[in-house]
Amino acid sequence: MLQHNWQKLSAMVVVFLVAYFMPLNSSRFTGAVLEALYMLQEYARLHVLTCLIPALFIAGAIAYFISREAVMKYFGSQAKKWVAYSVASVSGAILAVCSCTVLPLFAGIYKRGAGLGPAVAFLYSGPAINILAISMTARILGARLGLARAIGAVVLSVVIGLLMAAIFHKEDSERLQGFVVQGKPETEKRSLVQTLFYFINLIAILVFATWGRSTQPGSVLNAIYSIKWYLVILLLGLLAIMLIRWFERREISMWIESTWSFAQQILPLLFVGVLLAGFLTGRPGTDAGIIPAKYVQLVVGGNSIRANFLASIIGAFMYFATLTEVPILQSLLGSGMGQGPALALLLSGPALSLPSMLVINSILGPKKTFTYVTLVVLMSTIAGYIFGAIS
């Protein structure tokens, strides 16, 4: 009781001090507060319905419909490493998602029995390797940087996954033991083909709902963009037919319940994180956060270890919606940013953000989250420095 009262008193003191010393006369501070709200609104309008909600339903489907045996076969401790890491490291190529949208999918496979290493490789690769972002990087920022991003993201996802698996081998083995010793295998109510079509349909809804406009008029990407909502409606219709014909009402109810469980865990932390990211750095290209953009540009010129490290740190804490990192980098490169730091930011930025760190912490715990963030920053720094040296 006494400890609880001290916690309440501490919270009251913090709120009082913040209110008392809040610099409301500072245009930078009030602008950053407004920017945080703008960023939250932008995230809600552009990403929650089209990105996050489909991803949550996919995560719920993974958690309920995919058997533990299937997850263990490809991602568990007994799976062949080359299979697990190959599948995890290239999976992002079909998912045009940001660091926040991939979180429900990561939570789904991790809680279903995937090993820490392959699950982390998937967590990193999901937002880092999507084919649209890499092609846009090559087209706008240059083929060398686009190729370096593609190779660096695949290599880093495997390296970081292997290091996480090695560092936390004992803890993860104990966790996976609980999945291995579960009783009898789960009986499948649908054929493999039906399950495959169901998940392909869900992923296609996510991909087309998040399809962005290309900078090249008349391109195939723009043609798809012009009809994307017709495609989404068609896919939703197919999903409804599948649910009616292949699934029992109880299964659909459990799927929704599983999705709701992920939503309760992830959405509040994401919204808090987006607010914080907006307050600190502002929306991309606005220079309205509490940290002025000129200081960001000042410290990432050249190709020193410091410049690459700071670019990795900046990328890790900023929030990048899908594909927004490319125009941001275009602006920074025009202001004197080095090629090495640019790659470092491309490798750390899409894979991490302040909102995603909060959610990863709720899934993995502080020790594993700190280790993962540290590895992403360090590996991105090294890759950026090497690329800058040979560019």
Side-chain angles (χ1 to χ4, degrees), residues 223-245:
I224 295 174
Y225 178 81
S226 67
I227 62 170
K228 73 172 191 173
W229 292 118
Y230 297 105
L231 294 173
V232 170
I233 292 169
L234 175 63
L235 291 166
L236 286 172
L238 289 174
L239 177 61
I241 294 171
M242 291 180 193
L243 292 176
I244 292 169
R245 299 193 61 180

Side-chain angles (χ1 to χ4, degrees), residues 23-145:
L24 295 177
N25 291 328
S26 167
S27 59
R28 171 64 68 171
F29 177 83
T30 53
V33 171
L34 189 60
E35 194 64 21
L37 296 175
Y38 274 130
M39 190 161 176
L40 180 63
Q41 183 184 67
E42 185 176 282
Y43 184 82
R45 288 179 173 178
L46 300 181
H47 305 293
V48 171
L49 293 178
T50 57
C51 288
L52 200 54
I53 298 302
L56 286 168
F57 274 101
I58 294 172
I62 291 171
Y64 185 72
F65 294 122
I66 297 294
S67 68
R68 285 194 175 97
E69 286 72 26
V71 175
M72 296 294 287
K73 179 180 178 181
Y74 293 103
F75 293 110
S77 59
Q78 304 303 315
K80 293 180 180 178
K81 283 189 176 181
W82 72 268
V83 173
Y85 286 96
S86 296
V87 172
S89 64
V90 300
S91 56
I94 61 169
L95 296 173
V97 297
C98 63
S99 59
C100 294
T101 308
V102 78
L103 294 171
L105 312 182
F106 162 70
I109 64 169
Y110 183 71
K111 293 186 175 181
R112 204 58 174 161
L116 178 64
V120 164
F122 172 79
L123 172 65
Y124 179 86
S125 72
I129 313 177
N130 87 70
I131 197 69
L132 291 176
I134 288 175
S135 62
M136 186 176 287
T137 301
R139 189 166 61 246
I140 296 176
L141 304 182
R144 282 171 60 102
L145 197 54

